[in-house]
């Protein structure tokens, strides 16, 4: 398998490092508008490969021909969120970057699966799909696995235990309207409703929603280790056809409208294998529908 990453910044480089360490693919390409950045990070990663005695090729540069016939292309390119910004503030600038990347991917890797990471995530999945003209099954956004990881972290922190003992999933949009699925929130296969009262559960949800903003506030830029791990999970699932559901932003039809929004899905080497039905409470369903209406309103102003 060959995996390319568009954007050699923090998320792109960390993703490449994880893919190499887990030996997910035989070839990795880093593409960036800053040729020197992509080239030197590719050299550094290639030397990491040498240190680990692995048989993996790493290349980097600004030439999209490097990704010719690659299997998966991850789009991380775009401006990161600053402390004074919402994810939605990045729409105009990042839409141009993602659209350009998607057009080049369609040219050089027409049979690939696109994984979008650039914010605002759900909008950028729509942009990548329209610009690439790919099948909706082959354009997938990474955010739900990041939000789910943050939810697991908050549950574990509240319990003072390992996150490996916790399970949780987030769906919906990758912003403060995300849905922390109460039915999924468990500790050692037991619902956290057996441990926490409603106010404590609401506190966990709110801390999850603020997780990204808190990192931006403390660090001055967006997170990169956890988002990279989310991409890794998706790439491994695409490669192995894992039956374990992942939370991903996928193109879905709602009445006459089509939008990208976080759902629980199964992936394989063709992209989206199955979109699972969500078991939502009445409140969660309202939140989900409201999020769809907001996305429809935003994409009506985007020209691709």
């Amino acid at each position: 398998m060959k995996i390319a990453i568009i954007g050699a910044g923090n998320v792109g480089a960390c993703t490449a490092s994880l893919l190499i360490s887990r030996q997910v693919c035989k070839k990795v390409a880093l593409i960036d508008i800053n040729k020197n950045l992509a080239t030197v990070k590719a050299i550094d990663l290639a030397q990491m490969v040498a240190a680990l005695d692995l048989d993996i090729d790493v290349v980097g540069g600004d030439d999209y021909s490097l990704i010719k016939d690659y299997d998966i292309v991850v789009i991380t390119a775009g401006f990161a969120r600053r402390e004074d910004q919402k994810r939605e503030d990045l729409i105009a600038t990042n839409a141009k970057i993602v659209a350009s990347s998607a057009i080049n991917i369609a040219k050089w890797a027409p049979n690939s699966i696109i994984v979008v990471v650039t914010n605002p995530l759900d909008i950028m999945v729509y942009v990548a799909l329209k610009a690439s003209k790919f099948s909706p099954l082959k354009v997938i956004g990474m955010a739900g696995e990041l939000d789910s990881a943050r939810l697991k972290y908050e549950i574990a922190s509240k319990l003072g235990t390992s996150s490996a003992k916790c399970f949780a999933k987030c769906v919906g949009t990758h912003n403060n309207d995300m849905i922390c699925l109460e039915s999924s929130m468990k500790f050692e296969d037991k619902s956290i409703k057996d441990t926490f009262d409603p106010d404590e559960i609401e506190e966990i949800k709110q801390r999850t929603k603020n997780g990204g903003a808190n990192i931006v506030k403390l660090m001055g830029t967006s997170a990169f280790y956890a988002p990279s791990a989310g991409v890794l999970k998706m790439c491994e699932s695409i490669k192995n056809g894992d039956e374990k559901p992942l939370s991903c932003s996928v193109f879905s039809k709602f009445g006459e409208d089509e939008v990208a929004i976080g759902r629980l899905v199964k992936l394989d080497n063709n992209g989206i294998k199955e979109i699972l039905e969500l078991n939502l409470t009445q409140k969660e369903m309202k939140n989900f529908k409201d999020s769809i209406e907001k996305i429809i309103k935003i994409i009506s102003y985007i020209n691709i």
Side-chain angles (χ1 to χ4, degrees):
M1 176 170 278
K2 298 181 288 186
I3 301 178
I5 301 162
I6 312 302
N10 288 330
V11 176
C14 284
T15 297
S17 177
L18 282 174
L19 291 169
I20 290 167
S21 299
R22 295 278 282 250
Q23 302 181 57
V24 179
C25 51
K26 295 293 288 183
K27 290 188 177 183
V28 175
L30 276 177
I31 305 296
D32 198 283
I33 192 172
N34 184 336
K35 181 179 180 179
N36 288 343
L37 178 67
T39 301
V40 75
K41 287 199 175 183
I43 291 170
D44 193 10
L45 287 163
Q47 291 171 353
M48 183 184 87
V49 167
L52 297 175
D53 294 320
L54 300 175
D55 181 18
I56 299 173
D57 292 334
V58 186
V59 296
D62 62 354
D63 187 350
Y64 273 88
S65 66
L66 290 171
I67 72 169
K68 181 176 170 55
D69 297 329
Y70 268 55
D71 302 294
I72 300 173
V73 184
V74 183
I75 302 178
T76 71
F79 287 90
R81 184 165 53 129
R82 301 191 307 268
E83 184 180 350
D84 61 342
Q85 289 181 310
K86 296 179 180 179
R87 292 183 180 90
E88 287 72 20
D89 295 333
L90 302 170
I91 291 174
T93 303
N94 284 352
K96 294 178 182 178
I97 296 170
V98 169
S100 175
S101 298
I103 290 168
N104 277 294
I105 293 167
K107 177 181 179 180
W108 292 104
N111 297 314
S112 65
I113 295 168
I114 298 176
V115 175
V116 182
V117 186
T118 307
N119 274 319
L121 189 280
D122 304 288
I123 305 302
M124 293 305 112
V125 173
Y126 172 86
V127 170
L129 177 66
K130 293 301 180 182
S132 67
K133 297 181 171 59
F134 275 18
S135 161
L137 300 178
K138 300 197 120 187
V139 182
I140 314 165
M142 193 300 299
E145 282 304 303
L146 169 60
D147 295 330
S148 299
R150 288 174 173 163
L151 181 54
K152 283 174 61 179
Y153 167 80
E154 293 299 340
I155 294 170
S157 297
K158 186 77 172 176
L159 287 167
T161 189
S162 166
S163 58
K165 297 179 180 180
C166 303
F167 182 83
K169 288 293 182 184
C170 292
V171 295
T173 49
H174 181 51
N175 56 27
N176 284 350
D177 292 327
M178 72 177 71
I179 300 169
C180 302
L181 289 172
E182 282 198 22
S183 61
S184 75
M185 298 165 66
K186 297 178 182 179
F187 168 65
E188 293 185 334
D189 294 327
K190 296 180 181 179
S191 171
I192 63 165
K193 291 181 180 180
D194 297 337
T195 305
F196 299 129
D197 62 38
D199 287 342
E200 290 174 313
I201 293 174
E202 194 57 40
E203 178 193 357
I204 289 170
K205 291 181 182 179
Q206 200 56 51
R207 290 180 65 86
T208 300
K209 294 177 182 181
N210 293 334
N214 288 336
I215 287 174
V216 172
K217 182 177 180 179
L218 292 169
M219 189 165 58
T221 189
S222 300
F224 40 91
Y225 294 122
S228 300
V231 176
L232 171 71
K233 287 184 70 175
M234 290 176 64
C235 290
E236 288 183 328
S237 187
I238 290 168
K239 178 183 179 181
N240 301 322
D242 191 352
E243 284 295 304
K244 187 179 295 184
L246 298 181
S247 179
C248 305
S249 183
V250 297
F251 213 58
S252 305
K253 189 173 180 65
F254 300 97
E256 297 300 315
D257 299 297
E258 292 179 310
V259 301
I261 193 167
R263 305 280 299 272
L264 295 180
V265 303
K266 293 181 181 180
L267 306 177
D268 62 16
N269 58 11
N270 292 312
I272 300 167
K273 179 181 178 181
E274 183 181 1
I275 299 177
L276 306 178
E277 291 297 321
L278 293 173
N279 179 25
L280 302 177
T281 65
Q282 188 173 1
K283 182 179 179 181
E284 290 170 343
M285 179 58 75
K286 183 180 185 307
N287 188 337
F288 192 74
K289 289 180 178 178
D290 288 346
S291 295
I292 292 169
E293 291 301 319
K294 290 179 182 178
I295 294 173
I296 292 170
K297 186 175 180 180
I298 292 171
I299 62 178
S300 66
Y301 294 105
I302 297 176
N303 293 317
I304 303 170

